[in-house]
Amino acid sequence: MRNLALLTDFYQLTMMNGYLKHGLHQDTVVFDLFFRKNPCKSSYTIIAGIEQVIDYIENLKFTEEDLNYLRGLGFDDDFLKVVKDFKFSGTIYAVPEGSIMFPSEPILRVKASCFEAQLIETALLNIINFQSLIATKASRICEAAEGDPVFEFGLRRAQGPDAGIYGARAAVIGGCSSTSNVLAGKMFDIPVVGTQAHSWVQSFDTELEAFRAYAATYPDNCLLLVDTYDTLKSGLPNAITVFNELRSKGYEPKGIRIDSGDIAYLSKEARKILNAAGFEGVSIVASSDLDEEIIYSLKIQKAAVNGWGVGTNLITSKGCPALGGVYKLSAMEKDGELLSKIKISENPEKITNPGYKKVVRIYHADDHNAQGDLIMLEDETIDTSKPLTIFHPTYTWKTKTFTNYRIREMLAPLYIDGKLVAPRKTVKEIKAYVAEELDSLWPEYKRMIRPQLYKVDLSEKLWKLKNDMVSQYREATKRGS
Amino acid sequence: MRNLALLTDFYQLTMMNGYLKHGLHQDTVVFDLFFRKNPCKSSYTIIAGIEQVIDYIENLKFTEEDLNYLRGLGFDDDFLKVVKDFKFSGTIYAVPEGSIMFPSEPILRVKASCFEAQLIETALLNIINFQSLIATKASRICEAAEGDPVFEFGLRRAQGPDAGIYGARAAVIGGCSSTSNVLAGKMFDIPVVGTQAHSWVQSFDTELEAFRAYAATYPDNCLLLVDTYDTLKSGLPNAITVFNELRSKGYEPKGIRIDSGDIAYLSKEARKILNAAGFEGVSIVASSDLDEEIIYSLKIQKAAVNGWGVGTNLITSKGCPALGGVYKLSAMEKDGELLSKIKISENPEKITNPGYKKVVRIYHADDHNAQGDLIMLEDETIDTSKPLTIFHPTYTWKTKTFTNYRIREMLAPLYIDGKLVAPRKTVKEIKAYVAEELDSLWPEYKRMIRPQLYKVDLSEKLWKLKNDMVSQYREATKRGS
């Protein structure tokens, strides 16, 4: 495991040192990690990266080399002594990896000394922001592909090695069937796929020779790239020649891949030609600068594609290359009591929800459909034997009452007093959970164009707390000016 | 160093195995690494990541664990035996890291066995694509900032840990003065900066107490974040109170940071207020979802900002999150002779330049201004005592003749027969070279809006080779159909 103790913003260290110098470093604080906007025109976000958060915390230790570097930056022995003994001893609640979450909802809730809570902020955001982004993008792409397998092919355009590795992991969690990334395959036990590149075809004197050589090496897994010279005039006839040769030897060919040109036209023509030659069963894989919008449009045009290789646009989440997750102070312990904290902003959407909070999801009692979420204070309870009325935090006249319902608390303990208390999960388990989560969303929330917005309201108590605190600050600022 | 031997696409391994099975794995091939389009509306690209390419190749070795994984994927002992002994023994020419390059120009030229050349393709692209993208984006942002320092602040939104680490490196190479990323600071000996977050201000009962506490800890480096509650009504008056207190103790305050609101308005108002209070010398740093276009626009509005903290939009290169570098077969040895290879496409821009090539940059003999580039075959020479006429590869009537000129070959040996032959370089050295490179470009190539296109032509010999090969393939396809 890599030592990522220094994977933090410098201001975390200057603040930690400042807290230490003022004797505040042991003060308990609560931070919420949440995002304000779903990425990729999605109405939901799939949370990924929790397992890497665990890896990070389990390996969080400053080495002698780290301490020397910090000394060189000007930190004094007092500070270095505390940093040297650093071990995360706080409590983290988190949603299970693969959960579907919505704007403003706490995804992770860190209760720790301000010293510890500050240090880990940057890495937590880095890990959760990227993997959740890619899992969500992958989910959108798979939704557009209507159940066809989607292959993650983006390593060469990923933003560095980790982006390729963890991006492949997140893509599979979000719905991709496999990746081309061998290292990710090994690290996370996810399927890897791949056949040949144009360079293979170019390396032989003719395309036919190249196809024959490939078929000879992989007779039972023969998928041929047909667009090196001319898809319909050269690639396809040569592929069919080789497919017939394979079949005569008792092997059934797997398919063709088209990597350029007009995929709708070429795939439909290729399908006709393949069928006419008796190869109704072979697949047509497309891979040419695809994303969810192009696949959606190709599906409408009835492109005859059975599998989609998606590279750059998935692994970088082109069009929305960052999930804007933030980590905000929501409470602080004073004399053994948690005081709520708020961050004010001229922009109403940027005003944080104060207090020690939880997220409750409301389902119909009789089915698995999610009806809406409620952000509440931790000490609040819901009596499900009584009707529950929720209201929009801005347009408070917009209300909804549930009668026959059940609830689920989304946040669960991950660390308690520095001890990992949740079981580790495999990508396979997380992927299966994502499928359940997606199944709990009405199709209206999942459609490509202008999906319906999912309801996330505040409990009355939290809503009042927030409004009171905002008014209080407005008053204080007026008096101050 | 991490073991990245498996950081490759699965099809590289299936092809390598195929070449082995056909006895072709030792055949020498030549691949060019190049891109087709500059990123970020730029007219140039700064090449970065060469040092990480070296790290990758120096550490390229398959472990027992890797071999076991490959065995599990179905590769046989024949293949695993060759892979076990893998050591890169090829020759790589590359431009010096920090070079300014243009579309179609070989940046790296790999001459190696096809076995070796295929394996390293994916990692080379991954490394060069990302760092060149961020170096270029940073260069554009610094250009917009007109010499003000630009701070890289994006780690929390970077696409995974490596994107934060190598992105910070590339950002500094491209012109940023420093980063907030402590690990990047340590790894590459680049300056790190940071002061305090909103959570610091929130952690104290009042903003004034928070500012006082910060000033007490860092009296000689006091830069205060003034927008937690209200920039002009609260943050600025409190900052001035603390600045006066500092000054009375003999310290000169450093500045303020504004992280929200209208930066043009707030910075100008803040400047007036600071000046009126006798703090003409303190800086105003802005950091609120900035990019090169916003900074350009703020400069036009005469925002009173002296330093720019740029996060998400720099580290992810928002708007263009991938440089589309490719790695294409250009030649192949047959019976001791290099045969040129070409990749045909319906899209003329995607037809590759065949042959074993080099890139020559043409300068005025008397100054350092670059006049244009010529892609030529390796064995061609230019007699600089005679005039040189170059022509546009598509609009061949567009010609230009140089008389008083000198030339520079851009590609230099990096590896010869598997041995590293170039000296390792520090970020500081590379950054200084980038400054020279940028200085060699006329301002017209560097402006924000619609920069002039830099001339990249083909030598007549290469142009003819390419046209002949395209015609040949068109003929062959016609005959085939």
Side-chain angles (χ1 to χ4, degrees), chain A residues 202-206 209, chain B residues 19 22-24 27-29 331-341:
Chain A
Q202 289 173 275
S203 293
F204 293 81
D205 286 338
T206 67
E209 278 175 66
Chain B
Y19 288 126
H22 290 84
L24 305 168
D27 284 13
T28 298
V29 292
M332 226 180 142
E333 216 168 74
K334 283 274 176 208
D335 311 319
E337 217 181 310
L338 273 183
L339 288 183
S340 297
K341 289 279 176 176

Side-chain angles (χ1 to χ4, degrees), chain A residues 50-102:
Chain A
I50 303 283
E51 290 296 316
Q52 280 65 48
V53 166
I54 298 172
D55 290 342
Y56 163 73
I57 289 180
E58 294 296 303
N59 290 285
L60 193 51
K61 197 178 163 19
F62 291 85
T63 64
E64 270 309 313
E65 209 187 281
D66 294 339
L67 296 172
N68 286 336
Y69 175 67
L70 295 181
R71 185 172 291 113
L73 292 180
F75 291 104
D76 63 16
D77 286 342
D78 259 15
F79 179 68
L80 295 177
K81 214 180 126 218
V82 184
V83 166
K84 186 185 159 76
D85 297 331
F86 187 95
K87 208 192 152 307
F88 182 74
S89 67
T91 291
I92 302 179
Y93 276 63
V95 300
E97 181 159 1
S99 292
I100 283 178
M101 299 296 286
F102 303 94

Side-chain angles (χ1 to χ4, degrees), chain B residues 306-449:
Chain B
N306 313 103
W308 308 84
V310 186
T312 313
N313 298 331
L314 166 53
I315 205 74
T316 65
S317 186
K318 205 178 171 183
C320 173
L323 175 65
V326 294
Y327 182 87
K328 295 287 175 189
L329 184 70
S330 63
M332 226 180 142
E333 216 168 74
K334 283 274 176 208
D335 311 319
E337 217 181 310
L338 273 183
L339 288 183
S340 297
K341 289 279 176 176
I342 193 168
K343 159 84 183 76
I344 303 294
S345 172
E346 280 304 299
N347 181 344
E349 286 152 25
K350 285 201 172 181
I351 299 176
T352 60
N353 290 319
Y356 196 48
K357 300 178 298 292
K358 62 184 174 186
V359 182
V360 163
R361 185 153 298 165
I362 304 158
Y363 297 86
H364 266 311
D366 308 326
D367 63 31
H368 62 286
N369 290 317
Q371 302 292 308
D373 286 6
L374 205 51
I375 308 175
M376 355 182 29
L377 292 165
E378 177 67 28
D379 56 13
E380 291 187 88
T381 53
I382 293 174
D383 179 355
T384 53
S385 70
K386 292 185 184 145
L388 171 68
T389 298
I390 64 174
F391 62 94
H392 190 283
T394 306
Y395 311 109
T396 51
W397 46 268
K398 286 178 113 174
T399 63
K400 185 170 169 77
T401 298
F402 302 97
T403 46
N404 185 32
Y405 66 100
R406 62 187 169 86
I407 59 170
R408 171 184 171 210
E409 290 211 12
M410 297 304 295
L411 291 165
L414 188 68
Y415 277 88
I416 293 187
D417 298 334
K419 259 199 75 165
L420 179 65
V421 294
R424 300 301 302 253
K425 286 197 186 133
T426 64
V427 165
K428 213 171 167 182
E429 289 165 341
I430 297 165
K431 190 178 170 68
Y433 171 62
V434 167
E436 278 174 40
E437 283 282 277
L438 283 169
D439 204 38
S440 76
L441 285 191
W442 297 102
E444 285 75 5
Y445 297 122
K446 291 185 279 190
R447 72 175 163 236
M448 277 296 115
I449 309 288

Side-chain angles (χ1 to χ4, degrees), chain A residues 12 86 295 329 350 407 435 454:
Chain A
Q12 312 287 10
F86 187 95
I295 294 175
L329 183 70
K350 287 201 169 179
I407 59 170
Y454 185 87

Side-chain angles (χ1 to χ4, degrees), chain A residues 299-315:
Chain A
K299 281 282 181 187
I300 289 171
Q301 291 169 73
K302 304 207 185 305
V305 173
N306 314 103
W308 307 85
V310 186
T312 313
N313 298 332
L314 167 54
I315 207 74

Side-chain angles (χ1 to χ4, degrees), chain A residues 9-10 14 118 180 195 199 218, chain B residues 9-10 14 118 180 195 199:
Chain A
D9 288 306
F10 187 62
T14 51
Q118 287 292 178
S180 67
T195 53
S199 59
Y218 303 101
Chain B
D9 288 304
F10 187 61
T14 52
Q118 286 293 180
S180 68
T195 53
S199 59

